[in-house]
Amino acid sequence: MPITAQIDLPDLATRFIGQLAHCQRLGLTVHHIETNKVELKLPYSTDLVGYPDTGVVHGGVITTLIDTACGCAVVCAIFEQFQSLEISPTLDLRVDYMRPAEPHKPIYGLAECYKLTSNIAFVRALAYQDDVEQPIAHAVATFMRISAEMVGDEFRQALLGQVDTQASAKDGQQS
Amino acid sequence: MTTAVSVKQLIKQAKSDNDFSGLLQHVPYAKFIGMQVESFGDELVFKLPANPNNIGNPVLPAIHGGVIAGFMEMSAIVQLMVLMQTDSVPKIVDFAIDYLRAGYHKDSFVECKITRQGRRVANVNINCWQTSDIY
């Protein structure tokens, strides 16, 4: 059922990230949004170091950044194309690490949902610091689309950023 | 920050004590997600206790897929370090993961199998599970 409310994609993406406890702990923020593309920013933290001798962040953090950026791109792409709120679980993810991330600098995760079918979303992503042409990592992922009903009222309202009566009534009709 | 400790020394110590948790204590990210390790003879089993900070899907709730991946990557690194006994920490070239089901908000476990150990690159097969009946 289409959602008729006027929603800005950056707001939707920000609220989506805000709902994920682990992403809050990492300090992820939405940096840039355009059609089918989402860019997230990960600030540097010594808590995330994987190589104590050099201060380089752990590969797992890059994977999490990329997975989140991809998932967020899928949510936004589905919303743009179908005016529907779905959360899609990751089916598979492959990350190539090209170079270590430089310590004390933020890392950007840029994901593009380049194909959306009725069941599957295909996404590619990059992680980089200063120059998108010199990426830290490159990734491809697929996500499974699940029905909008699976999202749950509470989460849907959190994504819509509406708890007012009008939105509740609309949500009530949907489920 | 801890001062630089010889990785070789750490592994040697861990092997003689048969306690590999010291290795994880030196990696901030391992502490950040809260992972642990136990050894059963020569086998290492890694454990990621349920932790509300690792949630990535508040609806189920389920662990963030990236945390599961990071947990598996870190497990493979430790497994390789223990096998190789080198002075350096292995760097990951690439990592591919198939998610078979949701990782629920409970304890998760990892076991690694090194399928090939070359001079410069190694291949590691990593399995992550929560309930022991099927992966």
Side-chain angles (χ1 to χ4, degrees):
Chain A
M1 202 78 63
I3 291 165
T4 47
Q6 203 46 261
I7 290 172
D8 277 346
L9 279 184
D11 292 343
L12 173 64
T14 302
R15 286 192 287 259
F16 175 71
I17 303 298
Q19 285 296 305
L20 314 180
H22 189 68
C23 299
Q24 289 308 105
R25 278 216 75 202
L26 291 175
L28 288 188
T29 50
V30 177
H31 190 246
H32 184 72
I33 300 256
E34 58 188 277
T35 303
N36 297 334
K37 282 187 185 173
V38 168
E39 186 170 82
L40 303 183
K41 179 182 177 181
L42 170 79
Y44 181 78
S45 161
T46 49
D47 286 343
L48 308 178
V49 166
Y51 303 86
D53 294 350
T54 55
V56 170
V57 296
H58 196 278
V61 183
I62 313 274
T63 311
T64 305
L65 169 69
I66 284 175
D67 187 29
T68 310
C70 290
C72 197
V74 172
V75 168
C76 290
I78 290 174
F79 186 76
E80 264 198 306
Q81 282 189 34
F82 304 104
Q83 290 74 53
S84 158
L85 277 180
E86 297 174 20
I87 43 169
S88 306
T90 319
L91 277 180
D92 60 54
L93 172 69
R94 182 210 158 97
V95 186
D96 289 338
Y97 297 100
M98 260 94 77
R99 54 152 68 199
E102 269 183 69
H104 310 292
K105 278 185 181 175
I107 303 171
Y108 299 95
L110 172 62
E112 179 190 12
C113 180
Y114 64 92
K115 173 76 182 168
L116 205 51
T117 73
S118 53
N119 289 306
I120 306 288
F122 297 87
V123 193
R124 53 185 164 227
L126 286 173
Y128 71 96
Q129 287 180 304
D130 297 323
D131 182 3
V132 73
E133 300 294 321
Q134 304 280 330
I136 296 161
H138 176 267
V140 284
T142 56
F143 289 75
M144 188 168 68
R145 290 186 59 191
I146 53 173
S147 75
E149 281 79 52
M150 298 282 284
V151 175
D153 281 345
E154 205 180 318
F155 193 62
R156 187 187 297 114
Q157 279 178 23
L159 289 183
L160 290 169
Q162 301 168 325
V163 211
D164 62 22
T165 46
Q166 215 182 349
S168 306
K170 218 174 279 164
D171 282 338
Q173 280 169 12
Q174 273 169 34
S175 47
Chain B
M1 281 281 23
T2 46
T3 46
V5 193
S6 158
V7 175
K8 209 169 195 169
Q9 210 78 48
L10 274 176
I11 298 169
K12 222 178 200 175
Q13 188 66 45
K15 278 217 154 180
S16 68
D17 300 348
N18 203 27
D19 177 10
F20 296 89
S21 49
L23 284 175
L24 296 177
Q25 282 307 308
H26 285 272
V27 182
Y29 182 71
K31 287 196 279 185
F32 183 76
I33 58 172
M35 69 179 280
Q36 302 166 357
V37 58
E38 273 183 60
S39 52
F40 300 91
D42 284 343
E43 306 274 311
L44 291 183
V45 174
F46 300 87
K47 180 181 177 182
L48 186 71
N51 178 350
N53 288 325
N54 291 341
I55 298 290
N57 175 338
V59 180
L60 283 175
I63 306 171
H64 196 297
V67 174
I68 297 173
F71 171 44
M72 292 169 85
E73 287 177 49
M74 188 61 214
S75 302
I77 289 174
V78 171
Q79 183 80 65
L80 268 173
M81 278 175 19
V82 169
L83 183 98
M84 283 167 29
Q85 304 228 2
T86 58
D87 221 349
S88 58
V89 182
K91 282 192 241 164
I92 303 171
V93 180
D94 61 51
F95 178 81
I97 179 168
D98 288 325
Y99 294 97
L100 306 180
R101 62 191 70 237
Y104 291 105
H105 179 37
K106 54 185 184 180
D107 297 355
S108 313
F109 303 90
V110 152
E111 231 175 359
C112 305
K113 201 184 265 169
I114 295 164
T115 44
R116 181 181 177 273
Q117 163 76 70
R119 275 193 328 120
R120 291 190 294 182
V121 294
N123 292 67
V124 188
N125 197 307
I126 314 162
N127 266 314
C128 180
W129 74 93
Q130 290 188 316
T131 40
S132 54
D133 41 345
I134 351 157
Y135 286 165

